[in-house]
mmCIF file of all heavy atoms in Angstrom:
data_model
loop_
_atom_site.group_PDB
_atom_site.id
_atom_site.type_symbol
_atom_site.label_atom_id
_atom_site.label_comp_id
_atom_site.label_asym_id
_atom_site.label_seq_id
_atom_site.Cartn_x
_atom_site.Cartn_y
_atom_site.Cartn_z
ATOM 1 N N SER A 23 8.889 -44.919 71.778
ATOM 2 C CA SER A 23 10.007 -45.797 72.392
ATOM 3 C C SER A 23 10.198 -45.483 73.870
ATOM 4 O O SER A 23 11.233 -45.851 74.444
ATOM 5 C CB SER A 23 11.277 -45.481 71.600
ATOM 6 O OG SER A 23 11.201 -45.740 70.281
ATOM 7 N N GLY A 24 9.196 -44.925 74.529
ATOM 8 C CA GLY A 24 9.329 -44.688 75.990
ATOM 9 C C GLY A 24 10.261 -43.590 76.417
ATOM 10 O O GLY A 24 10.253 -43.235 77.540
ATOM 11 N N SER A 25 11.013 -42.960 75.510
ATOM 12 C CA SER A 25 12.012 -41.977 75.890
ATOM 13 C C SER A 25 11.897 -40.691 75.116
ATOM 14 O O SER A 25 12.658 -39.780 75.292
ATOM 15 C CB SER A 25 13.429 -42.544 75.802
ATOM 16 O OG SER A 25 13.768 -42.936 74.578
ATOM 17 N N SER A 26 11.090 -40.643 74.015
ATOM 18 C CA SER A 26 10.998 -39.500 73.183
ATOM 19 C C SER A 26 9.496 -38.951 73.198
ATOM 20 O O SER A 26 8.571 -39.690 73.046
ATOM 21 C CB SER A 26 11.359 -39.795 71.732
ATOM 22 O OG SER A 26 12.751 -40.139 71.678
ATOM 23 N N LEU A 27 9.378 -37.638 73.441
ATOM 24 C CA LEU A 27 8.091 -37.036 73.436
ATOM 25 C C LEU A 27 7.990 -36.018 72.293
ATOM 26 O O LEU A 27 8.951 -35.212 72.046
ATOM 27 C CB LEU A 27 7.905 -36.239 74.756
ATOM 28 C CG LEU A 27 7.555 -37.037 75.992
ATOM 29 C CD1 LEU A 27 8.649 -37.933 76.422
ATOM 30 C CD2 LEU A 27 7.140 -36.061 77.115
ATOM 31 N N VAL A 28 6.946 -36.049 71.491
ATOM 32 C CA VAL A 28 6.752 -35.189 70.431
ATOM 33 C C VAL A 28 5.525 -34.279 70.625
ATOM 34 O O VAL A 28 4.399 -34.804 70.751
ATOM 35 C CB VAL A 28 6.540 -35.957 69.090
ATOM 36 C CG1 VAL A 28 6.338 -34.944 67.872
ATOM 37 C CG2 VAL A 28 7.787 -36.839 68.797
ATOM 38 N N PHE A 29 5.743 -32.964 70.769
ATOM 39 C CA PHE A 29 4.644 -32.000 70.914
ATOM 40 C C PHE A 29 4.371 -31.430 69.617
ATOM 41 O O PHE A 29 5.251 -30.773 68.904
ATOM 42 C CB PHE A 29 5.071 -30.902 71.892
ATOM 43 C CG PHE A 29 5.398 -31.355 73.271
ATOM 44 C CD1 PHE A 29 6.598 -31.828 73.654
ATOM 45 C CD2 PHE A 29 4.411 -31.285 74.282
ATOM 46 C CE1 PHE A 29 6.886 -32.322 74.895
ATOM 47 C CE2 PHE A 29 4.659 -31.706 75.562
ATOM 48 C CZ PHE A 29 5.916 -32.195 75.927
ATOM 49 N N THR A 30 3.124 -31.586 69.133
ATOM 50 C CA THR A 30 2.722 -31.087 67.785
ATOM 51 C C THR A 30 1.770 -29.902 67.920
ATOM 52 O O THR A 30 0.761 -30.028 68.668
ATOM 53 C CB THR A 30 2.030 -32.169 66.976
ATOM 54 O OG1 THR A 30 2.959 -33.325 66.855
ATOM 55 C CG2 THR A 30 1.677 -31.689 65.516
ATOM 56 N N ALA A 31 2.087 -28.809 67.260
ATOM 57 C CA ALA A 31 1.214 -27.630 67.335
ATOM 58 C C ALA A 31 -0.134 -27.871 66.732
ATOM 59 O O ALA A 31 -0.257 -28.509 65.681
ATOM 60 C CB ALA A 31 1.943 -26.495 66.590
ATOM 61 N N ALA A 32 -1.161 -27.439 67.468
ATOM 62 C CA ALA A 32 -2.550 -27.670 67.009
ATOM 63 C C ALA A 32 -2.877 -26.690 65.801
ATOM 64 O O ALA A 32 -3.730 -26.947 65.014
ATOM 65 C CB ALA A 32 -3.489 -27.411 68.141
ATOM 66 N N SER A 33 -2.154 -25.555 65.752
ATOM 67 C CA SER A 33 -2.420 -24.569 64.697
ATOM 68 C C SER A 33 -1.155 -23.703 64.532
ATOM 69 O O SER A 33 -0.203 -23.851 65.314
ATOM 70 C CB SER A 33 -3.614 -23.690 65.012
ATOM 71 O OG SER A 33 -3.398 -22.966 66.258
ATOM 72 N N ASN A 34 -1.145 -22.860 63.610
ATOM 73 C CA ASN A 34 0.051 -22.072 63.356
ATOM 74 C C ASN A 34 0.085 -20.852 64.353
ATOM 75 O O ASN A 34 -0.053 -19.636 63.958
ATOM 76 C CB ASN A 34 0.101 -21.439 61.946
ATOM 77 C CG ASN A 34 0.334 -22.587 60.897
ATOM 78 O OD1 ASN A 34 0.927 -23.623 61.270
ATOM 79 N ND2 ASN A 34 -0.182 -22.471 59.733
ATOM 80 N N THR A 35 0.156 -21.136 65.649
ATOM 81 C CA THR A 35 0.131 -20.068 66.625
ATOM 82 C C THR A 35 1.469 -19.518 66.863
ATOM 83 O O THR A 35 1.626 -18.427 67.465
ATOM 84 C CB THR A 35 -0.448 -20.633 67.918
ATOM 85 O OG1 THR A 35 0.211 -21.753 68.322
ATOM 86 C CG2 THR A 35 -1.971 -20.901 67.777
ATOM 87 N N PHE A 36 2.584 -20.154 66.478
ATOM 88 C CA PHE A 36 3.888 -19.630 66.601
ATOM 89 C C PHE A 36 4.518 -19.527 65.232
ATOM 90 O O PHE A 36 4.900 -20.486 64.604
ATOM 91 C CB PHE A 36 4.749 -20.576 67.498
ATOM 92 C CG PHE A 36 6.180 -20.040 67.747
ATOM 93 C CD1 PHE A 36 6.336 -18.684 67.986
ATOM 94 C CD2 PHE A 36 7.241 -20.847 67.744
ATOM 95 C CE1 PHE A 36 7.616 -18.133 68.182
ATOM 96 C CE2 PHE A 36 8.490 -20.349 67.999
ATOM 97 C CZ PHE A 36 8.712 -18.986 68.197
ATOM 98 N N GLU A 37 4.506 -18.247 64.735
ATOM 99 C CA GLU A 37 4.959 -17.994 63.349
ATOM 100 C C GLU A 37 5.464 -16.576 63.266
ATOM 101 O O GLU A 37 5.186 -15.690 64.172
ATOM 102 C CB GLU A 37 3.860 -18.217 62.397
ATOM 103 C CG GLU A 37 2.658 -17.237 62.587
ATOM 104 C CD GLU A 37 1.495 -17.568 61.753
ATOM 105 O OE1 GLU A 37 1.240 -18.743 61.376
ATOM 106 O OE2 GLU A 37 0.718 -16.590 61.318
ATOM 107 N N ALA A 38 6.177 -16.305 62.217
ATOM 108 C CA ALA A 38 6.596 -14.927 61.810
ATOM 109 C C ALA A 38 6.357 -14.758 60.353
ATOM 110 O O ALA A 38 6.688 -15.662 59.535
ATOM 111 C CB ALA A 38 8.064 -14.720 62.159
ATOM 112 N N GLN A 39 5.796 -13.613 60.009
ATOM 113 C CA GLN A 39 5.555 -13.315 58.548
ATOM 114 C C GLN A 39 5.724 -11.864 58.307
ATOM 115 O O GLN A 39 5.497 -11.078 59.189
ATOM 116 C CB GLN A 39 4.155 -13.853 58.137
ATOM 117 C CG GLN A 39 2.998 -13.295 58.907
ATOM 118 C CD GLN A 39 1.680 -13.900 58.471
ATOM 119 O OE1 GLN A 39 1.567 -14.243 57.285
ATOM 120 N NE2 GLN A 39 0.761 -14.046 59.345
ATOM 121 N N SER A 40 6.097 -11.561 57.026
ATOM 122 C CA SER A 40 6.389 -10.177 56.663
ATOM 123 C C SER A 40 6.152 -9.991 55.210
ATOM 124 O O SER A 40 6.414 -10.883 54.357
ATOM 125 C CB SER A 40 7.843 -9.745 57.080
ATOM 126 O OG SER A 40 8.091 -8.464 56.594
ATOM 127 N N SER A 41 5.678 -8.811 54.854
ATOM 128 C CA SER A 41 5.549 -8.397 53.452
ATOM 129 C C SER A 41 6.255 -7.108 53.272
ATOM 130 O O SER A 41 6.063 -6.422 52.208
ATOM 131 C CB SER A 41 4.060 -8.260 53.057
ATOM 132 O OG SER A 41 3.384 -7.357 53.914
ATOM 133 N N SER A 42 7.127 -6.707 54.185
ATOM 134 C CA SER A 42 7.923 -5.504 54.031
ATOM 135 C C SER A 42 9.387 -5.871 54.225
ATOM 136 O O SER A 42 9.779 -6.977 54.548
ATOM 137 C CB SER A 42 7.514 -4.494 55.161
ATOM 138 O OG SER A 42 7.995 -4.938 56.448
ATOM 139 N N THR A 43 10.248 -4.896 54.031
ATOM 140 C CA THR A 43 11.721 -5.109 54.175
ATOM 141 C C THR A 43 12.174 -5.053 55.580
ATOM 142 O O THR A 43 13.422 -5.182 55.824
ATOM 143 C CB THR A 43 12.449 -4.134 53.318
ATOM 144 O OG1 THR A 43 12.072 -2.761 53.664
ATOM 145 C CG2 THR A 43 12.147 -4.275 51.820
ATOM 146 N N SER A 44 11.332 -4.853 56.535
ATOM 147 C CA SER A 44 11.656 -4.833 57.921
ATOM 148 C C SER A 44 11.440 -6.283 58.554
ATOM 149 O O SER A 44 10.563 -6.990 58.147
ATOM 150 C CB SER A 44 10.803 -3.865 58.711
ATOM 151 O OG SER A 44 10.977 -2.576 58.235
ATOM 152 N N TRP A 45 12.369 -6.620 59.467
ATOM 153 C CA TRP A 45 12.203 -7.932 60.134
ATOM 154 C C TRP A 45 11.012 -7.940 61.033
ATOM 155 O O TRP A 45 10.766 -6.988 61.765
ATOM 156 C CB TRP A 45 13.476 -8.228 60.959
ATOM 157 C CG TRP A 45 14.632 -8.799 60.056
ATOM 158 C CD1 TRP A 45 15.697 -8.051 59.584
ATOM 159 C CD2 TRP A 45 14.814 -10.096 59.646
ATOM 160 N NE1 TRP A 45 16.531 -8.916 58.893
ATOM 161 C CE2 TRP A 45 16.087 -10.144 58.941
ATOM 162 C CE3 TRP A 45 14.097 -11.314 59.843
ATOM 163 C CZ2 TRP A 45 16.484 -11.372 58.342
ATOM 164 C CZ3 TRP A 45 14.617 -12.457 59.288
ATOM 165 C CH2 TRP A 45 15.788 -12.484 58.587
ATOM 166 N N ALA A 46 10.318 -9.029 61.061
ATOM 167 C CA ALA A 46 9.206 -9.310 61.968
ATOM 168 C C ALA A 46 9.632 -10.554 62.785
ATOM 169 O O ALA A 46 9.993 -11.608 62.177
ATOM 170 C CB ALA A 46 7.921 -9.614 61.298
ATOM 171 N N PHE A 47 9.666 -10.464 64.097
ATOM 172 C CA PHE A 47 10.085 -11.568 64.961
ATOM 173 C C PHE A 47 9.020 -12.137 65.882
ATOM 174 O O PHE A 47 8.072 -11.361 66.232
ATOM 175 C CB PHE A 47 11.246 -11.124 65.857
ATOM 176 C CG PHE A 47 12.562 -10.920 65.076
ATOM 177 C CD1 PHE A 47 12.924 -9.655 64.769
ATOM 178 C CD2 PHE A 47 13.337 -11.941 64.661
ATOM 179 C CE1 PHE A 47 14.151 -9.401 64.012
ATOM 180 C CE2 PHE A 47 14.557 -11.775 63.966
ATOM 181 C CZ PHE A 47 14.926 -10.420 63.681
ATOM 182 N N SER A 48 9.082 -13.350 66.187
ATOM 183 C CA SER A 48 8.204 -13.997 67.152
ATOM 184 C C SER A 48 9.058 -14.952 68.018
ATOM 185 O O SER A 48 9.821 -15.719 67.480
ATOM 186 C CB SER A 48 7.085 -14.780 66.435
ATOM 187 O OG SER A 48 6.228 -15.410 67.357
ATOM 188 N N GLY A 49 8.803 -14.897 69.277
ATOM 189 C CA GLY A 49 9.567 -15.774 70.154
ATOM 190 C C GLY A 49 8.687 -16.446 71.273
ATOM 191 O O GLY A 49 7.611 -15.942 71.561
ATOM 192 N N ASP A 50 9.186 -17.539 71.765
ATOM 193 C CA ASP A 50 8.417 -18.223 72.867
ATOM 194 C C ASP A 50 9.426 -18.968 73.720
ATOM 195 O O ASP A 50 10.614 -19.161 73.396
ATOM 196 C CB ASP A 50 7.317 -19.097 72.398
ATOM 197 C CG ASP A 50 7.861 -20.448 71.820
ATOM 198 O OD1 ASP A 50 9.095 -20.572 71.526
ATOM 199 O OD2 ASP A 50 6.976 -21.314 71.595
ATOM 200 N N SER A 51 8.958 -19.346 74.928
ATOM 201 C CA SER A 51 9.829 -20.086 75.895
ATOM 202 C C SER A 51 9.007 -21.210 76.486
ATOM 203 O O SER A 51 7.796 -20.958 76.948
ATOM 204 C CB SER A 51 10.295 -19.120 76.978
ATOM 205 O OG SER A 51 11.198 -19.786 77.873
ATOM 206 N N PHE A 52 9.522 -22.390 76.501
ATOM 207 C CA PHE A 52 8.813 -23.602 76.941
ATOM 208 C C PHE A 52 9.612 -24.344 77.929
ATOM 209 O O PHE A 52 10.783 -24.686 77.647
ATOM 210 C CB PHE A 52 8.515 -24.448 75.692
ATOM 211 C CG PHE A 52 7.840 -25.776 75.959
ATOM 212 C CD1 PHE A 52 6.938 -25.910 76.912
ATOM 213 C CD2 PHE A 52 8.092 -26.904 75.136
ATOM 214 C CE1 PHE A 52 6.242 -27.119 77.205
ATOM 215 C CE2 PHE A 52 7.499 -28.130 75.361
ATOM 216 C CZ PHE A 52 6.524 -28.201 76.343
ATOM 217 N N GLY A 53 9.126 -24.539 79.100
ATOM 218 C CA GLY A 53 9.855 -25.181 80.226
ATOM 219 C C GLY A 53 9.323 -26.526 80.629
ATOM 220 O O GLY A 53 8.130 -26.705 80.642
ATOM 221 N N LEU A 54 10.278 -27.430 80.890
ATOM 222 C CA LEU A 54 9.887 -28.785 81.361
ATOM 223 C C LEU A 54 10.836 -29.123 82.553
ATOM 224 O O LEU A 54 11.951 -28.752 82.561
ATOM 225 C CB LEU A 54 10.034 -29.863 80.340
ATOM 226 C CG LEU A 54 9.411 -29.616 78.937
ATOM 227 C CD1 LEU A 54 10.481 -29.303 77.902
ATOM 228 C CD2 LEU A 54 8.625 -30.895 78.533
ATOM 229 N N ARG A 55 10.343 -29.995 83.431
ATOM 230 C CA ARG A 55 11.126 -30.544 84.476
ATOM 231 C C ARG A 55 11.228 -32.049 84.221
ATOM 232 O O ARG A 55 10.240 -32.766 84.017
ATOM 233 C CB ARG A 55 10.527 -30.286 85.789
ATOM 234 C CG ARG A 55 11.369 -30.840 87.011
ATOM 235 C CD ARG A 55 10.642 -30.668 88.318
ATOM 236 N NE ARG A 55 11.348 -31.299 89.391
ATOM 237 C CZ ARG A 55 10.848 -31.599 90.572
ATOM 238 N NH1 ARG A 55 9.490 -31.401 90.778
ATOM 239 N NH2 ARG A 55 11.541 -32.140 91.540
ATOM 240 N N ILE A 56 12.461 -32.554 84.241
ATOM 241 C CA ILE A 56 12.739 -34.009 84.029
ATOM 242 C C ILE A 56 13.271 -34.650 85.287
ATOM 243 O O ILE A 56 14.275 -34.106 85.846
ATOM 244 C CB ILE A 56 13.742 -34.260 82.870
ATOM 245 C CG1 ILE A 56 13.276 -33.494 81.593
ATOM 246 C CG2 ILE A 56 13.896 -35.704 82.503
ATOM 247 C CD1 ILE A 56 14.327 -33.479 80.492
ATOM 248 N N VAL A 57 12.591 -35.627 85.822
ATOM 249 C CA VAL A 57 13.005 -36.251 87.041
ATOM 250 C C VAL A 57 13.202 -37.755 86.786
ATOM 251 O O VAL A 57 12.363 -38.478 86.281
ATOM 252 C CB VAL A 57 11.916 -36.069 88.149
ATOM 253 C CG1 VAL A 57 12.356 -36.715 89.486
ATOM 254 C CG2 VAL A 57 11.655 -34.614 88.366
ATOM 255 N N ALA A 58 14.377 -38.244 87.139
ATOM 256 C CA ALA A 58 14.717 -39.680 87.001
ATOM 257 C C ALA A 58 14.012 -40.485 87.913
ATOM 258 O O ALA A 58 13.726 -40.198 89.127
ATOM 259 C CB ALA A 58 16.236 -39.896 87.171
ATOM 260 N N ASP A 59 13.564 -41.715 87.496
ATOM 261 C CA ASP A 59 12.954 -42.730 88.369
ATOM 262 C C ASP A 59 14.003 -43.182 89.331
ATOM 263 O O ASP A 59 15.175 -43.123 89.180
ATOM 264 C CB ASP A 59 12.444 -43.888 87.517
ATOM 265 C CG ASP A 59 11.151 -43.512 86.766
ATOM 266 O OD1 ASP A 59 10.643 -42.369 86.994
ATOM 267 O OD2 ASP A 59 10.823 -44.354 85.838
#
């Protein structure tokens, strides 16, 4: 619709998994600049 962008992951590169009672964390940061016409 000219105003929505959908970024789809090519693979499961951002994930968290655990088989123990300890927490496993994964984080990322993604930056964009938006400039009006």
Side-chain angles (χ1 to χ4, degrees):
S23 303
S25 61
S26 295
L27 282 66
V28 180
F29 296 84
T30 303
S33 61
N34 293 333
T35 53
F36 182 39
E37 61 185 34
Q39 56 184 327
S40 175
S41 57
S42 73
T43 56
S44 299
W45 278 98
F47 289 101
S48 179
D50 75 348
S51 187
F52 177 33
L54 309 108
R55 182 185 176 200
I56 307 172
V57 180
D59 288 348

